[in-house]
Amino acid sequence: MTTYFVALIVGGVAFSADLARGDTGEPPIFSLSGFGTLGAVRSSEHEADFVNSINQPTGAGYTRSVDIGPDSKLGIQLNGNFGERLSGVVQVVSQHQFDNSYAPKVEWANLKYQMTPDWNIRGGRVALPVGMVSDYRLVGYSSPWVRPPLEAYSIIPVTSIDGVDSTWRSHFGGATNSLQGLVGEFHNKFPNGESLDASDAWGVGDTLEYHSWSLRASVASTRVKIRSSQTDLLFNGLMEFGQTLSAVPGLEGYGAQSLGMADRYAVDGGRIRSLAIGASYDEGPWLLMAEWIRLVGTGVLADNTGAYVTAAYRMGQFTPYVTLSRLRSTVPDEQGITTMGLPAPLAQNAAALNAGVQTILSGEQVSQSALSLGIRWDLRKNVDLKVQYDHMKLGAGSGGQLTNYQPGFTPGGSLNLLSLALDFVF
Amino acid sequence: MTPMRTLNTQILLLSSLVLTLSASGATADVVTIVSAQTPLANLGADQVASIFLGKSSTSSDGTRLVPINQPEGSPARDEFHARILGKSATQVKAYWSKMIFSGKGQPPAELPDDVAVRKFVSTHPGTIGYVDKGAVDSSVHILSVSDRP
């Protein structure tokens, strides 16, 4: 599977080099374009896997010492122009995903209707625009880094949404403002058999561009429901235990504690909300970017706040860059069901339930900070090569955004990554 | 018959492997042109940049303008991008990869050289292009473009 995927990407690079878009005389109704990254990453932490997204089951460190899974991807996009106002896009992306495969997924499939030159409506599967680079976060060639800073962009692991969006552009005094609104729903599958259903989602984003400056702010909100056999078992256990004890005179208080936890931590239709603010300055040799993204969770889903600052300096074909980034999770300090005063067998049950809750809560503690240094080399007009070094420091008691933790793993440590990526577009 | 439709029949999108740096050594005096029948005398560099980056499709007085590019790697294009957009060829390429893969837009149509651009712009009021000053004749007029701020 991996070999096949690499062959596809190499084919993509070759294709990008040789594609001659000669015109045969007919107006092009359809045009094909694509992007891809062949990336390899090595991690100094061997007791857990480094991944680019929580949608990936394995990565670099424990499973493989050098892994192409986290960063490699291939995307093909078909654009259709049906007259002056109507156009369509289908984008299919292959990347390492939840089921350990690289099976292609439809990232976008939408139709766009241009109401006026500055106002359009799209329907279908469209990008979920939270941060400044959300729209093209999979396109390595369009960004200075090997990957968008995880400390900010991993907070929202979903990149597309099924629904309708509309963008309205306005111009004043040399500035261009784009206001976008969207509604829809999405479904995301995670590696351990869990999945997330998001419904009644809405978002509003505004981007203001003035000369070399770009400012963006967005808010979004959605109802979420997590389907997971493990957490279902735990929540059912808390409910049963709580209901049983609530019916026993003298033990009602313990029962209420158990029911209270089930109520506090279940993710069953509550809303999560995101808020993002970003700015970039792109002038001459300098590219400066800073972003702040906050997610307010529901149930067991923790509040996360991520931010980064990047400075890149272009010197001909070479662009060295530095990024400082930080992610903070706010996980509640849960006392659990009081075991003192409970008869021994019930106390054991309570302790087991408490341990289960602690396990899912500690999984939500992903605080980490990173210093990243890298250089982008524009090899050809549509191919770049990047080398990036990251030093990540995990927060106290945090496993960071790694996965596949082994018994020898110690939370709160630090690790280094070395990444190499070849990006191309065609 | 819309300008774009006629244009598409003439488009020649080059995809040569020539490194862009081989072209950057040459200096040309590139001017921005519109058809002699387009009643427009001057534009701000930021307006021209907006039109060529697909952020705007009209000048401030409401004139609809369709941009025409020269091929990637051509000296005229590199100089135009450097002077009007303040961007290198690779920066512009990265910009369009963002636009294309976010479904926001497609780059301007391209014509192969100065003469093809001049001929097309002269016969299609409502289009805007750029050519070497030496290629200008009476069929088009040169826009006075103020400098980038």
Side-chain angles (χ1 to χ4, degrees):
Chain A
M1 188 69 222
T2 306
T3 321
Y4 175 66
F5 180 65
V6 171
L8 253 180
I9 292 182
V10 172
V13 177
F15 188 53
S16 71
D18 293 326
L19 186 72
R21 293 196 271 184
D23 193 88
T24 54
E26 287 301 305
I29 295 174
F30 292 104
S31 60
L32 194 68
S33 44
F35 60 86
T37 298
L38 183 57
V41 54
R42 187 185 173 88
S43 166
S44 66
E45 172 60 71
H46 302 302
E47 297 294 332
D49 277 338
F50 167 77
V51 287
N52 193 348
S53 152
I54 56 169
N55 297 329
Q56 297 172 335
T58 61
Y62 171 73
T63 305
R64 290 175 201 87
S65 60
V66 175
D67 194 8
I68 64 151
D71 296 314
S72 301
K73 55 189 77 74
L74 182 65
I76 304 287
Q77 180 170 314
L78 182 70
N79 298 287
N81 290 299
F82 316 107
E84 296 236 313
R85 290 172 180 267
L86 189 66
S87 61
V89 171
V90 176
Q91 189 186 94
V92 177
V93 177
S94 166
Q95 59 183 331
H96 192 207
Q97 59 171 9
F98 72 98
D99 59 359
N100 210 17
S101 83
Y102 290 82
K105 279 273 143 65
V106 176
E107 176 73 11
W108 300 341
N110 60 67
L111 281 174
K112 176 160 91 176
Y113 189 76
Q114 203 73 41
M115 311 282 285
T116 73
D118 286 325
W119 180 30
N120 69 59
I121 292 182
R122 289 192 299 185
R125 183 165 294 177
V126 298
L128 180 67
V130 175
M132 285 195 295
V133 307
S134 295
D135 275 356
Y136 40 84
R137 68 193 270 186
L138 303 177
V139 187
Y141 182 86
S142 68
S143 75
W145 327 278
V146 166
R147 64 191 79 86
L150 286 184
E151 288 70 21
Y153 276 87
S154 66
I155 292 176
I156 292 146
V158 177
T159 51
S160 59
I161 176 165
D162 296 331
V164 176
D165 77 354
S166 183
T167 302
W168 176 62
R169 261 188 336 197
S170 50
H171 310 273
F172 45 91
T176 301
N177 189 70
S178 304
L179 179 65
Q180 182 186 15
L182 89 167
V183 292
E185 56 180 42
F186 57 88
H187 182 75
N188 192 60
K189 285 180 175 158
F190 298 108
N192 52 4
E194 292 184 2
S195 65
L196 181 143
D197 287 323
S199 57
D200 297 334
W202 61 264
V204 177
D206 191 77
T207 303
L208 180 66
E209 291 166 287
Y210 182 70
H211 297 308
S212 309
W213 287 93
S214 179
L215 305 173
R216 180 175 168 81
S218 79
V219 289
S221 167
T222 182
R223 287 191 189 286
V224 287
K225 202 173 263 196
I226 288 183
R227 296 179 196 281
S228 153
S229 47
Q230 293 106 306
T231 55
D232 282 354
L233 208 64
L234 177 64
F235 289 121
N236 289 341
L238 288 167
M239 296 286 284
E240 263 176 50
F241 190 71
Q243 280 157 3
T244 309
L245 265 58
S246 300
V248 181
L251 299 182
E252 298 97 333
Y254 300 95
Q257 285 178 336
S258 190
L259 290 172
M261 279 207 289
D263 187 48
R264 272 201 297 288
Y265 299 126
V267 181
D268 194 22
R271 277 194 174 273
I272 56 172
R273 296 183 296 277
S274 72
L275 177 62
I277 297 167
S280 76
Y281 175 78
D282 186 351
E283 172 72 54
W286 285 103
L287 171 64
L288 306 173
M289 294 175 77
E291 255 188 300
W292 179 90
I293 299 178
R294 175 164 170 77
L295 183 81
V296 179
T298 181
V300 72
L301 299 177
D303 293 358
N304 279 304
T305 307
Y308 71 89
V309 181
T310 288
Y313 189 84
R314 300 183 186 94
M315 299 185 293
Q317 294 165 282
F318 296 95
T319 308
Y321 57 92
V322 56
T323 300
L324 281 167
S325 48
R326 185 182 143 123
L327 169 63
R328 284 289 168 269
S329 314
T330 312
V331 179
D333 185 17
E334 176 57 57
Q335 301 301 315
I337 307 161
T338 312
T339 50
M340 226 165 41
L342 273 180
L346 291 175
Q348 277 170 16
N349 279 345
L353 290 168
N354 287 343
V357 169
Q358 286 307 327
T359 302
I360 57 169
L361 282 176
S362 65
E364 286 294 308
Q365 178 49 265
V366 294
S367 297
Q368 65 179 47
S369 52
L371 164 69
S372 308
L373 300 169
I375 187 160
R376 169 183 169 135
W377 176 21
D378 282 285
L379 281 170
R380 285 209 312 249
K381 66 176 188 207
N382 54 356
V383 181
D384 74 58
L385 185 67
K386 293 168 187 161
V387 184
Q388 183 171 316
Y389 163 83
D390 303 88
H391 176 71
M392 289 182 174
K393 192 156 176 10
L394 309 182
S398 164
Q401 292 168 303
L402 303 170
T403 193
N404 225 358
Y405 298 100
Q406 300 304 306
F409 178 81
T410 315
S414 66
L415 62 141
N416 301 314
L417 299 175
L418 187 61
S419 313
L420 193 66
L422 180 78
D423 301 307
F424 58 92
V425 291
F426 60 86
Chain B
M1 182 65 79
T2 66
M4 282 312 293
R5 208 164 279 169
T6 322
L7 175 61
N8 280 329
T9 66
Q10 299 182 28
I11 289 172
L12 220 170
L13 288 158
L14 284 196
S15 182
S16 74
L17 278 178
V18 181
L19 289 173
T20 47
L21 67 99
S22 64
S24 59
T27 51
D29 194 3
V30 173
V31 292
T32 306
I33 56 165
V34 291
S35 148
Q37 294 142 49
T38 303
L40 198 64
N42 54 66
L43 271 182
D46 52 350
Q47 279 189 300
V48 178
S50 284
I51 289 165
F52 274 87
L53 292 174
K55 292 176 182 173
S56 166
S57 50
T58 55
S59 70
S60 55
D61 68 357
T63 310
R64 185 120 190 235
L65 290 169
V66 177
I68 309 296
N69 247 343
Q70 294 224 21
E72 276 185 44
S74 66
R77 175 159 162 158
D78 287 347
E79 197 200 318
F80 179 78
H81 282 168
R83 224 177 59 205
I84 304 295
L85 311 183
K87 289 183 191 298
S88 70
T90 48
Q91 280 175 276
V92 174
K93 186 87 185 168
Y95 170 81
W96 280 112
S97 69
K98 291 177 190 176
M99 296 296 279
I100 294 167
F101 298 116
S102 60
K104 283 183 184 155
Q106 296 285 329
E110 289 174 17
L111 286 172
D113 53 32
D114 285 341
V115 174
V117 171
R118 184 197 67 215
K119 277 187 182 163
F120 188 82
V121 168
S122 69
T123 52
H124 295 83
T127 59
I128 178 170
Y130 54 86
V131 295
D132 187 90
K133 202 169 184 178
V136 173
D137 64 15
S138 62
S139 66
V140 293
H141 79 235
I142 298 174
L143 277 184
S144 157
V145 178
S146 64
D147 284 341
R148 281 168 51 74

